Amino acid sequence: MSLEKPSRDTALDVGVTEDGLDYDALADLLGGHVLDREEHVNAEGFVIRPDEVQDVLSTLKEEAGFDHCACVTAQEYDDRYESIYHLRKYNDPTQELSIVVPSPKDDPHNESAARVYDTADWHEREAYDLVGIDYDDHPDLRRILLPETWQGHPLSQDYNQDQPQIVSLREHANPLKDDKRSEDDPDTMFVNIGPHHPATHGVLHVETVLDGEQIADLEPDIGYLHRCEEQMCQQGTYRHQIMPYPDRWDYISAGILNEWAYARAAEDLADIEVPEYAQVIRTMAAEMCRIASHELALATFALDVFGDFTAVFQYGIRDREIVQNLLEDLTGQRLMFNYLRLGGVAWDLPEPREEYFEKIRDFLDDLPHKLEEIHDLVTGNEIFQMRCVDTGVLSPEQVKQYGATGPVARGSGVDYDIRRDDPYGYYDELDWNVVTEQGGDNFSRVLVRLREVEESARIIEQCVDLLEQWPEDDREIQANVPRTLRPDPDKEIYRSVEGAKGELGIYIRSDGTDKPARFKIRSPCFSNLQTLPEMSQGEYIPDMIASLGSLDIVLGEVDR
């Protein structure tokens, strides 16, 4: 079995026992900071004062080992506002804790966590933008998804969704109109990249300040694709109306991975147990999506580095198309699969099964040769190496501070993979490896994705072996799920899966109805993109383009 987790010394972490977390010990560590305790699924909640956030989070990070601020969720109740900091550990994400910060209805604010975790910077800006909570001592509190001139906060209770708005562009005046130079340093030049540019992987605007030819400062400006997906999910029923949305967050190749993130959270919330046969199908289909996503990431990254539609792009698309064909045979759809159902999958494997298995095996048999071609063409290419080795470097400490996950984290040697560390589906029954590289640069992230394609192929092959031998009478694809799901009121959960781009998490709070009271998406691309300024500092524009490509973001998932 190759899925043994790396050994670690937990002696210094407070509250860690062989059976999991001892929340009483953690409460003792925080002492009088804990005003109350709440029952959340998997992650008990400690209620604290709004002006003690930094003290509490610093203590938990430094003395109890909670080095991963996975998500920040904000919401409004009838009598209060609330921020929830979902804390985890990179060494063991099953050790989870929720820090709940209520604030008054007439003056919603609490101390910022951005001084403790850099990843909270963008998450709190989003909470301010959409819900309307102020964060004291935040380094740069302003809107992040909507224009500065937007009136109101779309997820607040008093927001009028029917009121049309004319959004003035005065806050987004052309910075090149009057002066191209920074006021602080007249020798620097301000340059806009995007929002519509072939190298920005979507509608992303990057504001850069150049010192000569080197990047002195950089800021990603997002929000051009914001569709209020969370609010749309809050208006849909658990059973049928939410599942079509996850495909559209990362609309490129990761559909079933995204669907699984919602399915896992909702199934745990409603205590639904998925049949083993359906779990194997889900695992196989998810790894096909991972291969498709990584192939496209490689193709577009080569486009960034080489600068045109060279053979590498065509090779990546060629291999991805084969996986797309297999997924189309399985789901009936090419991109927006909508194949998972709460409690299982929509239907069984296509008939004749033997023909479908043969197609998969043909693909797997050809894959080593195709990967060898990619290595000859890309990773062995001297120009590619010169562009990628030692550029866009991200240290393991920076990864953790920004909450980066997926190949971005594993390319910096951070051994973190939800499939192994917080198992779901059929992953813990199969033989495969978590891939890491130590370089932390653009080259390492490419190597991780290519090696992960090999591991995904191993997983798919084992799933095919299992499915071929599965007794016909035991091929159960669906659990017995009530026609209308109404989870218990005030039940809260944060659950995640290992998406192609990293940790994709969903927070749901139920209110006893058939629709979520709060639905929050933790997008891996959102947190990963925060690292771009760190990666680009002191480098050249072409290096920044390569670094951005190596993050493998899709703006639909960043903005949601």
Side-chain angles (χ1 to χ4, degrees):
M1 184 70 179
S2 58
L3 283 181
E4 292 183 6
K5 297 173 68 172
S7 60
R8 61 184 294 259
D9 180 11
T10 58
L12 297 178
D13 292 350
V14 176
V16 178
T17 69
E18 293 183 356
D19 298 326
L21 279 183
D22 181 350
Y23 288 104
D24 291 336
L26 291 170
D28 291 342
L29 173 68
L30 297 177
H33 290 301
V34 179
L35 303 177
D36 196 4
R37 291 166 66 167
E38 294 183 353
E39 186 177 341
H40 295 194
V41 180
N42 304 320
E44 189 163 321
F46 290 174
V47 182
I48 66 168
R49 289 169 51 92
D51 58 348
E52 296 179 348
V53 172
Q54 292 178 9
D55 284 344
V56 168
L57 296 185
S58 296
T59 301
L60 290 170
K61 181 180 180 184
E62 294 166 8
E63 299 185 35
F66 287 95
D67 55 355
H68 182 23
C69 180
C71 185
V72 180
T73 302
Q75 52 190 325
E76 182 181 2
Y77 290 81
D78 291 338
D79 61 344
R80 68 185 188 282
Y81 284 82
E82 190 175 273
S83 299
I84 305 176
Y85 297 89
H86 304 272
L87 304 184
R88 289 183 145 183
K89 298 181 181 180
Y90 272 98
N91 283 323
D92 185 355
T94 62
Q95 297 182 24
E96 301 178 79
L97 181 65
S98 302
I99 298 300
V100 182
V101 189
S103 60
K105 189 86 172 179
D106 57 350
D107 184 19
H109 70 97
N110 64 250
E111 206 171 50
S112 170
R115 303 292 180 182
V116 184
Y117 301 98
D118 283 327
T119 191
D121 184 335
W122 277 24
H123 283 268
E124 288 179 345
R125 282 180 62 189
E126 182 183 328
Y128 162 74
D129 191 354
L130 301 184
V131 182
I133 299 176
D134 287 321
Y135 291 90
D136 305 333
D137 200 27
H138 189 283
D140 186 22
L141 190 63
R142 55 192 168 90
R143 290 186 183 276
I144 188 170
L145 294 174
L146 299 175
E148 284 293 332
T149 50
W150 194 268
Q151 301 298 308
H153 307 279
L155 292 182
S156 63
Q157 291 182 347
D158 61 355
Y159 184 76
N160 184 357
Q161 298 180 28
D162 299 323
Q163 178 66 41
Q165 294 201 28
I166 299 175
V167 181
S168 164
L169 295 178
R170 60 183 166 81
E171 298 293 339
H172 290 283
N174 181 358
L176 298 179
K177 182 179 178 182
D178 301 321
D179 194 349
K180 300 177 182 178
R181 299 168 299 176
S182 163
E183 293 180 358
D184 299 330
D185 184 354
D187 291 331
T188 61
M189 177 182 287
F190 187 99
V191 177
N192 283 301
I193 301 175
H196 299 282
H197 189 278
T200 55
H201 290 230
V203 276
L204 170 67
H205 172 210
V206 182
E207 299 173 348
T208 57
V209 177
L210 299 183
D211 182 2
E213 296 184 14
Q214 292 180 298
I215 295 172
D217 196 11
L218 179 152
E219 181 179 344
D221 177 20
I222 65 174
Y224 297 92
L225 270 182
H226 178 53
R227 296 159 291 172
C228 234
E229 291 273 6
E230 294 172 359
Q231 198 168 41
M232 293 165 74
C233 290
Q234 288 169 197
Q235 297 168 351
T237 58
Y238 291 102
R239 180 75 194 276
H240 298 294
Q241 294 178 339
I242 296 177
M243 189 58 84
Y245 288 119
D247 280 320
R248 287 154 176 81
W249 302 339
D250 176 356
Y251 41 72
I252 295 177
S253 299
I256 290 176
L257 295 160
N258 292 12
E259 293 174 23
W260 208 343
Y262 167 63
R264 191 181 189 203
E267 286 160 359
D268 282 7
L269 187 73
D271 297 323
I272 298 171
E273 188 169 345
V274 180
E276 200 173 12
Y277 179 70
Q279 295 282 27
V280 179
I281 295 178
R282 282 183 174 188
T283 304
M284 180 187 72
E287 293 310 305
M288 288 180 182
C289 281
R290 194 179 311 278
I291 290 178
S293 180
H294 284 355
E295 293 281 5
L296 186 62
L298 173 78
T300 53
F301 184 62
L303 179 64
D304 291 329
V305 172
F306 292 120
D308 56 16
F309 282 90
T310 59
V312 182
F313 183 84
Q314 304 300 337
Y315 274 55
I317 295 298
R318 174 201 66 181
D319 299 343
R320 174 179 175 269
E321 283 297 288
I322 301 172
V323 187
Q324 293 293 135
N325 291 339
L326 294 172
L327 287 165
E328 186 175 2
D329 288 345
L330 177 64
T331 67
Q333 304 293 329
R334 190 91 186 152
L335 280 176
M336 307 301 168
F337 304 113
N338 192 20
Y339 178 62
L340 266 56
R341 298 288 182 272
L342 297 189
V345 295
W347 46 72
D348 202 348
L349 301 176
E351 295 287 353
R353 293 165 64 93
E354 293 73 18
E355 185 176 316
Y356 186 61
F357 290 139
E358 187 177 347
K359 285 183 181 178
I360 298 174
R361 290 197 185 282
D362 286 346
F363 167 69
L364 297 178
D365 290 343
D366 291 342
L367 196 58
H369 172 66
K370 290 175 176 174
L371 285 172
E372 190 176 342
E373 286 180 331
I374 295 291
H375 280 294
D376 288 344
L377 205 56
V378 181
T379 58
N381 185 305
E382 186 179 356
I383 296 173
F384 186 85
Q385 292 174 0
M386 291 174 66
R387 292 288 312 279
C388 297
V389 174
D390 291 336
T391 61
V393 176
L394 203 59
S395 70
E397 293 73 24
Q398 290 170 321
V399 163
K400 294 178 180 179
Q401 189 63 14
Y402 281 93
T405 52
V408 176
R410 292 191 286 275
S412 294
V414 177
D415 192 6
Y416 181 81
D417 192 312
I418 301 288
R419 293 175 294 175
R420 176 200 62 193
D421 299 334
D422 185 12
Y424 57 96
Y426 216 73
Y427 288 111
D428 57 346
E429 300 292 332
L430 305 175
D431 185 26
W432 59 284
N433 292 312
V434 174
V435 175
T436 59
E437 290 284 339
Q438 302 301 318
D441 54 11
N442 293 328
F443 195 71
S444 295
R445 290 184 274 278
V446 172
L447 291 181
V448 166
R449 292 194 179 94
L450 287 173
R451 289 178 58 196
E452 286 190 353
V453 169
E454 297 174 17
E455 295 302 322
S456 293
R458 289 180 63 191
I459 294 172
I460 293 171
E461 185 173 26
Q462 293 171 70
C463 290
V464 170
D465 291 341
L466 289 166
L467 293 170
E468 277 183 324
Q469 300 164 10
W470 212 278
E472 188 170 353
D473 293 341
D474 295 337
R475 294 173 189 167
E476 188 180 359
I477 61 169
Q478 265 282 334
N480 186 16
V481 181
R483 183 180 296 273
T484 303
L485 283 180
R486 291 188 177 86
D488 297 336
D490 289 327
K491 196 171 181 182
E492 300 176 57
I493 188 171
Y494 173 77
R495 269 302 204 187
S496 62
V497 299
E498 187 67 35
K501 296 165 173 60
E503 179 181 341
L504 176 59
I506 305 292
Y507 166 85
I508 299 177
R509 175 174 64 85
S510 69
D511 58 1
T513 68
D514 60 347
K515 300 173 183 175
R518 180 73 172 103
F519 191 99
K520 165 70 180 174
I521 306 163
R522 190 273 184 201
S523 150
C525 295
F526 185 77
S527 293
N528 289 352
L529 183 58
Q530 274 189 275
T531 64
L532 186 62
E534 294 281 356
M535 299 163 67
S536 305
Q537 193 75 29
E539 299 199 336
Y540 299 98
I541 287 284
D543 297 330
M544 187 278 284
I545 298 299
S547 299
L548 176 61
S550 77
L551 291 175
D552 184 27
I553 60 164
V554 57
L555 267 299
E557 191 182 278
V558 173
D559 295 349
R560 288 153 284 133

